[in-house]
Amino acid sequence: MSMNQNEYLQRRAEFLEKHPDLPSPEPVRCLNLIMRKEFAQEILSGEKTVEIRAYSQHYTDRLYDKTVLEYEKAHWDDPEMRAGILEFTDSIRPVDKIHFHPYNNNWFLDVECIENGTVIVNEEQVGYLREVYGCHEFDEMLEELEMRDAKDRPIFFFFALGKVLGTDLK
């Protein structure tokens, strides 16, 4: 049985009201990311709307809120809490702004981040990025995985890019 958005929001509000001690992930005010200039130019031209990064220890350490994870772990054995945690919480820290630059820091590009999270390379999640942000970076990988009927799917971090906040690129 699926629920509509209003039902979801009501159930979420009820869950959060019952658990006021549930921490929210601390935002990342500015995330520094290394980038090649050609990709920065694609962001400036509007061609690139989503930045993708590997689901690696480096990024999980930076993006998962440890306080939220500890809370989830402490309450995981309670079936009601586990269901609520899985359905209504997120331990990934929201990113406000991304500061892109190369290794030698000879240019920069600051961009608003309007949404971030993880994406599993399946039709539903890749379709969401395609539909909402016009992102086609996973199309070939998805097609190949679908042709092989792959059960194990890779996971990536994604950052939906908003307006340019500052740059010294021309």
Side-chain angles (χ1 to χ4, degrees):
M1 177 184 142
S2 68
M3 64 181 116
N4 67 36
Q5 185 175 8
N6 287 336
E7 292 168 328
Y8 172 83
L9 292 174
Q10 181 178 342
R11 287 188 50 206
R12 182 176 186 272
E14 290 168 0
F15 175 78
L16 294 175
E17 189 175 309
K18 283 173 64 176
H19 306 284
D21 59 331
L22 177 72
S24 295
E26 173 98 21
V28 176
R29 297 293 171 216
C30 183
L31 181 65
N32 286 293
L33 295 178
I34 301 294
M35 177 176 269
R36 292 189 352 219
K37 192 174 191 177
E38 66 186 273
F39 297 130
Q41 298 287 7
E42 289 177 2
I43 292 170
L44 286 171
S45 73
E47 181 182 343
K48 183 174 183 62
T49 59
V50 175
E51 176 62 12
I52 306 299
R53 295 294 164 125
Y55 192 91
S56 66
Q57 193 66 50
H58 174 75
Y59 291 109
T60 59
D61 288 347
R62 294 167 77 186
L63 294 169
Y64 278 99
D65 188 295
K66 288 159 189 53
T67 303
V68 176
L69 291 174
E70 288 171 13
Y71 182 93
E72 291 173 350
K73 184 178 178 182
H75 294 85
W76 196 249
D77 292 334
D78 176 343
E80 179 190 341
M81 276 300 290
R82 182 181 314 140
I85 287 168
L86 290 171
E87 191 167 1
F88 302 120
T89 69
D90 194 349
S91 51
I92 296 177
R93 300 172 64 195
V95 174
D96 295 337
K97 171 175 99 171
I98 302 174
H99 178 75
F100 293 109
H101 59 91
Y103 284 110
N104 65 6
N105 281 312
N106 65 351
W107 59 263
F108 78 94
L109 174 63
D110 291 343
V111 181
E112 170 189 39
C113 181
I114 55 178
E115 182 182 4
N116 64 286
T118 58
V119 57
I120 299 170
V121 184
N122 63 32
E123 184 55 50
E124 178 184 358
Q125 293 189 19
V126 169
Y128 170 78
L129 290 179
R130 193 182 308 123
E131 184 179 315
V132 175
Y133 299 112
C135 174
H136 293 275
E137 293 195 37
F138 292 110
D139 290 354
E140 287 180 30
M141 184 186 302
L142 177 63
E143 185 178 328
E144 190 257 315
L145 290 166
E146 292 289 321
M147 282 188 344
R148 288 192 290 123
D149 197 27
K151 301 296 179 228
D152 294 328
R153 301 296 176 110
I155 301 172
F156 294 86
F157 286 103
F158 77 90
F159 304 90
L161 306 173
K163 61 186 172 211
V164 171
L165 302 172
T167 187
D168 59 0
L169 289 170
K170 299 190 188 312

